[in-house]
């Protein structure tokens, strides 16, 4: 059994990871170690997620470690506090349009297409193992790094600006070629685990929406706004009211809004794990998590979340998460945040409208886990916001993540066999390669099928 002392704010409780199907004997060992009054099935602060094979125990890890003799227990970790990963509101002009980064003159009102940096690799066959998947990702990253120097010499490519005209659709939907895709996400369930959702938002009238709060004492209704913005990008309306661009990727996807962060924008591992189990039980093809906690160079990834992600993939659910906003480029780059730093959770970096790495986007620094897997638009992102504001522009890897989640729904609609690891393969295989190091953008810019 492994004990992990992870950096960051914690709650004083413990996460216990069990072998597959061994939750009951594992909990028996925990009760013997810490006492039935603390770890009993009905004890306050103790929850067992049998589908995930994880328990949250109201006792510190040092105490729970007394159950180390049990073969049913794989690892014990402190329960972390996590946060919505969002920066300040993106700057905008009086007309509500984004103030985009400076670049070459556009010369026309039409959006400049995303440059074909290099051909996309064909997706690997479905049904591969997690080890194969990680090897496939590493090979793509190595190839991208080898070619980055040559591609960077093309000044025209570097200067290209993606999708500046947002009259019809946001720049992010144009850069990812969502606007050219015939898929809608119909019948695909996407769970967004965040601060909840504005259930009365008029842009979602008539849509299939399932919701549940995992924050004690708070309803699903979004009192923060972050969750409503993320849901809008992943699943928002195709044709908003006149004068507003299309901002939603999978506009016919089924919305599963799980409130795992409070109206103050914070939460704990308990709520997140409960949300993941809820999403799996409801057969969601995708779980989008624009949340996390900072990590330190050299810090290991969570064994609990890594095993949860693998078990989710085995049940047909892919987890994508924000890589984090702790960097201050060009001077400082920080490692990928928890839980996106787990190898089997797809870590999403943020790009600006010049297709450069956003100044805040974290980097794949830690060698054992913690890679960037893919990149998406994350600056000046227009999307839904709780009423009466209705819309707002934000920036962050939080805004990049739902682009990937929505596009994953399009791939899932296109191929009923693209689930779990196979869906991961489709996303990285279809990504637009970029003249930027893979430690910053992974396989490249996510593209619609």
């Amino acid at each position: 059994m492994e004990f992990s002392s992870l950096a960051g704010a914690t709650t004083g409780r413990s996460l216990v990871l069990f072998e597959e199907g061994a939750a009951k004997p594992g909990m028996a060992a925990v009760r013997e170690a810490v006492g039935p009054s603390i770890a009993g099935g009905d004890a306050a602060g103790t929850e067992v997620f049998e589908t995930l094979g994880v328990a949250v125990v109201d006792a510190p890890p040092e105490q729970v470690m007394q159950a180390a003799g049990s073969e049913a227990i794989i690892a014990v970790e402190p329960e972390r506090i996590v946060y919505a990963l969002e920066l300040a509101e993106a700057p905008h002009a009086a007309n509500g349009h984004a103030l985009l980064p400076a670049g070459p003159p556009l010369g026309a009102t039409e959006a400049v297409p995303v440059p074909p940096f290099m051909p996309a690799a064909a997706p690997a066959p479905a049904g591969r193992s997690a080890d194969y998947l990680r090897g496939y990702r590493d090979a793509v990253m190595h190839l991208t790094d080898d070619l980055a120097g040559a591609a960077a010499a093309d000044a025209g490519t570097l200067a290209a600006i993606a999708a500046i005209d947002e009259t019809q659709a946001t720049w992010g939907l144009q850069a990812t070629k969502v606007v050219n895709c015939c898929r809608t996400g119909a019948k695909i369930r996407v769970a967004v685990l965040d601060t909840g959702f504005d259930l009365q938002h008029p842009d979602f009238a008539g849509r299939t929406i399932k919701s549940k709060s995992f924050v004690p004492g708070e309803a699903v209704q979004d009192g923060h706004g972050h969750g409503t913005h993320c849901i809008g990008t992943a699943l928002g309306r195709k044709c908003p009211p006149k004068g507003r661009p299309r901002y939603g990727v999978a506009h016919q996807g089924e919305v599963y809004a799980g409130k795992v962060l409070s109206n103050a924008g914070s939460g704990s591992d308990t709520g997140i794990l409960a949300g993941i189990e809820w999403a799996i039980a409801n057969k969601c093809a995708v779980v989008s998590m624009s949340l996390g906690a900072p990590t330190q160079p050299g810090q290991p990834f969570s064994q609990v979340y890594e095993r949860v992600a693998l078990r989710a993939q085995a049940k047909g659910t892919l987890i994508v998460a924000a890589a984090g906003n702790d960097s201050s480029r060009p001077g400082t780059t920080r490692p990928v945040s928890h839980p996106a730093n787990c190898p089997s959770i797809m870590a999403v970096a943020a790009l600006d409208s010049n297709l450069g790495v956003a100044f805040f986007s974290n980097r794949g620094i830690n060698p054992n886990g913690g890679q960037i897997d893919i990149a998406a638009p994350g600056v000046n992102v227009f999307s839904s916001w709780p009423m009466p504001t209705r819309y707002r522009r934000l920036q962050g890897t939080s805004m990049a993540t739902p682009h990937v989640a929505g596009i994953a729904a399009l791939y899932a609609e296109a191929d009923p066999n693209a689930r779990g690891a196979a869906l991961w393969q489709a996303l990285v295989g279809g990504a637009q390669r970029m003249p930027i190091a893979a430690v910053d953008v992974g396989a490249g810019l996510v593209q619609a099928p």
Side-chain angles (χ1 to χ4, degrees), residues 259-308:
K259 188 184 186 89
V260 301
L261 302 178
S262 71
N263 291 331
S266 65
S268 69
D269 287 327
T270 298
I272 297 168
L273 293 168
I276 293 172
E277 184 163 79
W278 172 72
I280 293 173
N282 282 281
K283 301 186 184 305
C284 293
V286 186
V287 171
S288 182
M289 303 197 309
S290 293
L291 50 78
T295 61
Q296 300 300 318
Q299 179 179 329
F301 58 84
S302 165
Q303 292 294 325
V304 171
Y305 274 86
E306 171 62 12
R307 195 64 65 97
V308 164

Side-chain angles (χ1 to χ4, degrees), residues 20 48-54 277 280-281 311 315:
E20 191 85 33
V48 180
F49 305 109
E50 292 195 9
T51 299
L52 306 181
V54 177
E277 184 163 79
I280 293 173
R311 290 170 180 174
K315 294 180 180 297

Side-chain angles (χ1 to χ4, degrees), residues 340-443:
N341 63 337
C342 293
S344 299
I345 293 179
M346 182 169 282
V348 184
L351 301 174
D352 61 29
S353 61
N354 290 312
L355 300 186
V357 181
F359 74 89
F360 50 79
S361 190
N362 287 348
R363 187 174 229 200
I365 293 174
N366 290 334
N368 298 317
Q371 297 94 336
I372 296 292
D373 296 302
I374 203 162
V379 176
N380 290 324
V381 176
F382 176 89
S383 187
S384 50
W385 193 258
M387 296 298 286
T389 303
R390 192 164 183 166
Y391 306 108
R392 191 176 175 186
R393 292 183 183 274
L394 295 178
Q395 55 187 353
T397 52
S398 276
M399 285 60 254
T401 301
H403 280 92
V404 175
I407 290 172
L410 303 183
Y411 277 101
E413 179 197 1
D415 181 2
N417 294 317
R419 298 293 186 273
L423 185 53
W424 182 308
Q425 294 169 17
L427 286 164
V428 299
Q432 183 98 27
R433 308 298 176 242
M434 304 184 73
I436 303 174
V439 291
D440 289 318
V441 298

Side-chain angles (χ1 to χ4, degrees), residues 148-325:
D154 184 348
T157 296
L158 285 174
I161 298 178
I164 213 78
D165 180 6
E166 292 191 308
T167 304
Q168 300 299 320
T170 61
W171 78 266
L173 268 59
Q174 295 178 60
T176 56
K177 294 186 173 61
V178 169
V179 292
N180 302 324
C181 180
C182 64
R183 300 295 176 180
T184 66
K187 298 182 180 180
I188 302 301
R189 299 176 179 182
V190 178
V192 179
L193 306 182
D194 212 287
T195 61
F197 181 56
D198 181 3
L199 299 170
Q200 285 75 47
H201 201 288
D203 284 13
F204 289 81
R207 294 284 297 279
T208 298
I209 299 175
K210 302 292 184 182
S211 63
K212 187 171 182 178
S213 177
F214 303 96
V215 177
E218 292 191 11
V220 170
Q221 185 64 26
D222 189 0
H224 183 283
H226 190 268
T228 299
H229 196 278
C230 292
I231 288 174
T233 298
L235 297 151
R237 185 171 174 175
K238 181 180 182 180
C239 299
K242 187 176 181 180
R244 300 295 183 179
R246 175 185 173 184
Y247 59 87
V249 176
H251 57 89
Q252 289 186 5
E254 297 184 16
V255 181
Y256 279 72
K259 188 184 186 89
V260 301
L261 302 178
S262 71
N263 291 331
S266 65
S268 69
D269 287 327
T270 298
I272 297 168
L273 293 168
I276 293 172
E277 184 163 79
W278 172 72
I280 293 173
N282 282 281
K283 301 186 184 305
C284 293
V286 186
V287 171
S288 182
M289 303 197 309
S290 293
L291 50 78
T295 61
Q296 300 300 318
Q299 179 179 329
F301 58 84
S302 165
Q303 292 294 325
V304 171
Y305 274 86
E306 171 62 12
R307 195 64 65 97
V308 164
L310 286 170
R311 290 170 180 174
Q313 287 184 19
K315 294 180 180 297
T317 299
L318 174 67
I319 303 175
V320 299
N325 309 328

